[in-house]
């Protein structure tokens, strides 16, 4: 059976889609482009209204495409699937499977069943009391795994920040058993992974529920970092209120823990942070930044920011700009506040107008561009090690470039004219130029 997966949203979704593709391939299914596919799988995101709307527009487009062949069908997974559930069946007759966020492990069996039973429809929407483990499909003999790998360490979130739909569509926090995390990490390293990113909605509170067997996040980091052959360890996402002193210490102690941290600030105004229910203030955030930089000089900080949260004044917004400058974020994801069904902020007034929110977002992104450029320019002249991800779209006078990341996660494009495929290789480069969002590097030191 030929299938095509379309993924929206975060790295969790990307990781789930990747697993599903491998699981289906191990059962003899084949990935195909959207012309040849007979099963379409949409892995969806509902964190803001825009990505949710995109799901309906993609399904609308598929509807016309699918009319040609009644045997073709679609499955919807991820956060919008959990949110809308069997409602998809009424709106889109060709949707025959809805897979909630805890049911990804059941999707391969369900898809096989639907392929064999054209009249059947299934909705798998139950939340599970524990982290739902899934079997890792056997790799094809002789095929190495990717150099960069992602490992889920928990599901769900208990924080209920006022704007956020995640606790409703991903359920309560459930940590994965540390033994299972370690086993997956070890296997990935044996199959060629040099970098692992641990994933969860709020990894800093790993182990605070019963699933983590009393192992703290800092302890988990130490155990994973000790796996022989693992060169780079990252994690995302963190909540500032749960960033433990022991995790900060780990940045100073674990050499392969990368010097970068994504630490969502959301707003620089204490009044807005209070209404968001974030449970930290500016002073606490700045204190964390100071401690982190003391533990690991040069640590690169990135963040998430929301503009136009209900009641946000010009002054509140000014405080966010001020914080961005004080911290000097390397980069940030920034969003206009978007009402989500059922969240506390949906009932908060006054709403900020679309025009004001758009103007604030522009202003913020311009400032971020300047901060990013400053950070990148400071790197020029230094030497670093780049883990190559693949060929770059960048071309310079016909010379091919390879794209990778430095230890802090900055994108580096490296010119290399040779025949060799550098994907997955770690190479020494000298950084010679800062672009808007990336660096240009040249081969350094010994020949590659
Ligand atoms: N509106 C705008 N941005 C949101 N985020 C989460 N919920 C909303 C919302 N309702 C942003 C936060 C979060 C990131 C993943 O998405 O910044 O950190
Ligand atoms: Fe949403 Fe807050 Fe949980 Fe992050 S910590 S997923 S923003 S509720």
């Amino acid at each position: 059976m030929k299938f095509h997966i379309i993924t929206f949203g975060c790295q969790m979704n990307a990781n789930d889609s990747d697993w599903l593709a491998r699981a289906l391939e191990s059962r003899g299914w084949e990935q195909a482009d959207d012309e040849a596919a007979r099963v379409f799988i949409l892995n969806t995101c509902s964190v803001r209204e825009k990505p949710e709307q995109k799901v309906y527009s993609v399904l609308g487009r598929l509807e016309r495409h699918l009319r040609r062949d009644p045997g073709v069908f679609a499955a919807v997974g991820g956060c919008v699937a959990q949110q809308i559930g069997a409602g998809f069946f009424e709106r889109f007759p060709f949707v025959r499977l809805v897979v909630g966020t805890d049911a990804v492990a059941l999707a391969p069996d369900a898809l096989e069943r639907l392929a064999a039973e054209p009249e059947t429809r299934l909705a798998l929407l139950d939340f599970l009391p524990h982290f739902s483990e899934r079997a890792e499909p056997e790799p094809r003999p002789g095929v190495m795994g990717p150099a960069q790998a992602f490992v889920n360490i928990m599901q769900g979130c208990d924080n209920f920040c006022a704007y956020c739909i995640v606790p409703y569509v991903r359920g309560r926090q459930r940590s994965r058993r540390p033994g299972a995390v370690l086993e997956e990490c070890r296997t990935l390293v044996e199959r060629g992974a040099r970098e692992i990113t641990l994933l969860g909605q709020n990894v800093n509170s790993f182990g605070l529920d019963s699933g983590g067997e009393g192992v703290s996040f800092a302890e988990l980091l130490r155990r994973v970092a000790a796996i022989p052959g693992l060169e780079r360890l990252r994690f995302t996402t963190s909540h500032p209120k749960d960033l433990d002193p022991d995790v900060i210490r780990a940045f100073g102690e674990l050499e392969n823990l990368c010097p970068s941290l994504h630490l969502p600030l959301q707003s620089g105004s204490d009044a807005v942070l209070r209404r968001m229910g974030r449970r930290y203030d500016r002073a606490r955030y700045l204190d964390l930044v100071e401690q982190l930089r003391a533990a690991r000089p040069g640590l690169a900080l990135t963040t998430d920011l929301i503009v136009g949260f209900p009641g946000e004044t010009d002054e509140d917004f000014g405080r966010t700009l001020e914080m961005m400058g004080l911290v000097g974020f390397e980069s940030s994801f920034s969003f206009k506040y978007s009402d989500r069904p059922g969240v506390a902020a949906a009932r908060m007034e006054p709403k900020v107008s679309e025009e004001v929110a758009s103007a604030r977002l522009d202003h913020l992104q311009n400032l971020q561009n300047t901060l990013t450029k400053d950070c990148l320019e400071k790197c020029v002249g230094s030497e670093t090690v780049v883990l190559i991800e693949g060929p770059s779209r960048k071309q310079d006078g016909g010379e091919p470039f390879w794209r990778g990341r430095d230890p802090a996660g900055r994108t580096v494009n490296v010119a290399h004219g040779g025949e060799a495929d550098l994907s997955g290789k770690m190479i020494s480069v000298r950084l010679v130029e800062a672009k808007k969002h990336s660096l240009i590097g040249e081969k350094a030191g010994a020949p590659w």
Side-chain angles (χ1 to χ4, degrees):
M1 186 63 100
K2 290 194 157 75
F3 67 98
H4 184 72
I5 305 188
I6 302 168
T7 307
F8 303 89
C10 62
Q11 279 172 328
M12 303 268 222
N13 273 11
N15 197 33
D16 285 349
S17 292
D18 182 58
W19 176 84
L20 185 56
R22 285 182 290 115
L24 289 171
E25 281 172 346
S26 74
R27 292 165 185 238
W29 289 37
E30 233 180 282
Q31 291 207 61
D33 63 18
D34 56 354
E35 283 300 315
R38 307 212 66 232
V39 179
F40 289 84
I41 302 160
L42 274 70
N43 199 357
T44 65
C45 169
S46 61
V47 79
R48 284 170 297 278
E49 198 182 346
K50 244 200 217 148
E52 184 185 340
Q53 290 307 332
K54 196 106 183 265
V55 175
Y56 305 124
S57 78
V58 168
L59 284 172
R61 248 190 299 133
L62 280 183
E63 188 160 31
R64 285 195 293 280
H65 180 73
L66 298 191
R67 264 195 220 120
R68 280 183 287 140
D69 180 349
V72 175
F73 67 95
V76 183
C79 292
V80 186
Q82 192 71 51
Q83 184 192 339
I84 308 291
F88 273 110
F89 295 151
E90 283 144 44
R91 263 183 86 177
F92 300 98
F94 57 90
V95 172
R96 290 179 46 216
L97 174 64
V98 180
V99 190
T101 50
D102 269 9
V104 183
L106 307 177
D109 279 348
L111 285 164
E112 275 192 333
R113 183 170 158 203
L114 293 178
E117 299 174 14
E119 302 303 319
T120 304
R121 288 176 132 183
L122 291 171
L124 307 171
L125 297 165
D126 289 345
F127 283 124
L128 305 174
H130 306 293
F131 183 94
S132 61
E133 284 293 341
R134 56 194 184 198
E136 214 19 63
E138 279 301 313
R140 269 168 287 166
V143 176
M144 286 294 270
Q148 287 171 296
F150 296 86
V151 173
N152 282 347
I153 64 164
M154 65 203 306
Q155 285 166 319
C157 178
D158 286 350
N159 288 320
F160 290 94
C161 300
Y163 48 81
C164 189
I165 199 170
V166 164
Y168 304 90
V169 290
R170 293 224 173 228
R172 293 295 71 69
Q173 171 177 317
R174 285 141 301 153
S175 299
R176 189 176 184 188
R177 277 193 316 103
V181 174
L182 277 158
E183 198 183 305
E184 183 173 347
C185 291
R186 273 195 211 103
T187 307
L188 285 164
V189 173
E190 275 161 23
R191 291 183 188 161
R194 312 184 94 166
E195 174 179 306
I196 287 181
T197 305
L198 304 178
L199 296 178
Q201 298 296 342
N202 179 15
V203 291
N204 296 111
S205 58
F206 178 90
L208 298 182
D209 55 291
S210 59
E213 297 171 347
V215 173
S216 69
F217 181 56
E219 178 55 28
L220 186 75
L221 280 177
R222 288 176 207 283
R223 292 188 193 177
V224 177
I227 295 174
L230 180 65
E231 312 220 28
R232 290 183 175 185
L233 176 59
R234 304 182 189 281
F235 58 87
T236 197
T237 278
S238 297
H239 193 308
K241 84 172 163 53
D242 298 318
L243 188 61
D244 196 85
D246 205 15
V247 173
I248 298 177
R249 267 196 298 280
F251 273 107
E253 292 167 10
L254 305 176
E255 228 175 278
N256 54 357
L257 182 60
C258 288
S260 69
L261 180 64
H262 187 68
L263 194 61
L265 171 65
Q266 311 297 3
S267 168
S269 153
D270 283 345
V272 173
L273 286 171
R274 206 172 316 116
R275 286 203 302 284
M276 285 177 165
R278 292 288 288 173
R279 288 178 275 167
Y280 55 84
D281 58 12
R282 291 163 60 92
R284 162 92 179 127
Y285 191 96
L286 288 171
D287 182 41
L288 287 172
V289 170
E290 201 177 307
Q291 289 180 45
L292 283 159
R293 287 188 169 146
R296 189 71 169 266
L299 181 104
L301 284 158
T302 58
T303 201
D304 290 347
L305 296 160
I306 296 177
V307 299
F309 186 78
E312 185 189 66
T313 62
D314 281 340
E315 200 192 332
D316 290 323
F317 175 60
R319 304 286 277 166
T320 297
L321 299 176
E322 191 185 47
M323 276 293 274
M324 291 169 68
L326 284 172
V327 179
F329 291 114
E330 291 259 340
S331 67
S332 56
F333 294 109
S334 47
F335 314 98
K336 283 185 270 186
Y337 167 76
S338 159
D339 256 347
R340 304 282 57 219
V343 305
R347 298 183 299 277
M348 290 182 187
E349 295 288 346
K351 297 288 188 241
V352 172
S353 73
E354 171 62 30
E355 294 70 44
V356 170
S358 292
R360 286 181 187 164
L361 190 66
D362 271 358
H363 191 147
L364 185 156
Q365 290 179 341
N366 285 334
L367 171 60
Q368 184 59 61
N369 286 341
T370 313
L371 294 174
T372 300
K373 194 87 206 275
D374 287 350
C375 292
L376 295 177
E377 270 163 6
K378 281 198 193 114
C379 301
V380 172
S382 62
E383 281 192 17
T384 190
V385 175
V386 175
L387 173 55
I388 299 291
E389 292 175 8
S392 165
R393 278 192 307 252
K394 191 182 150 39
Q395 292 283 320
D396 200 359
E399 188 171 18
F401 269 78
W402 291 86
R403 174 186 42 81
R405 285 179 195 277
D406 76 355
R410 302 178 189 102
T411 298
V412 184
N413 288 296
V414 189
H416 180 62
E419 292 288 300
D421 181 352
L422 298 185
S423 304
K425 300 248 169 356
M426 297 189 78
I427 59 177
S428 294
V429 302
R430 190 175 331 89
L431 299 169
V432 293
E433 192 186 339
K435 296 283 186 191
K436 207 168 161 203
H437 297 291
S438 60
L439 290 154
I440 305 285
E442 273 175 3
K443 167 179 162 177
W448 299 346

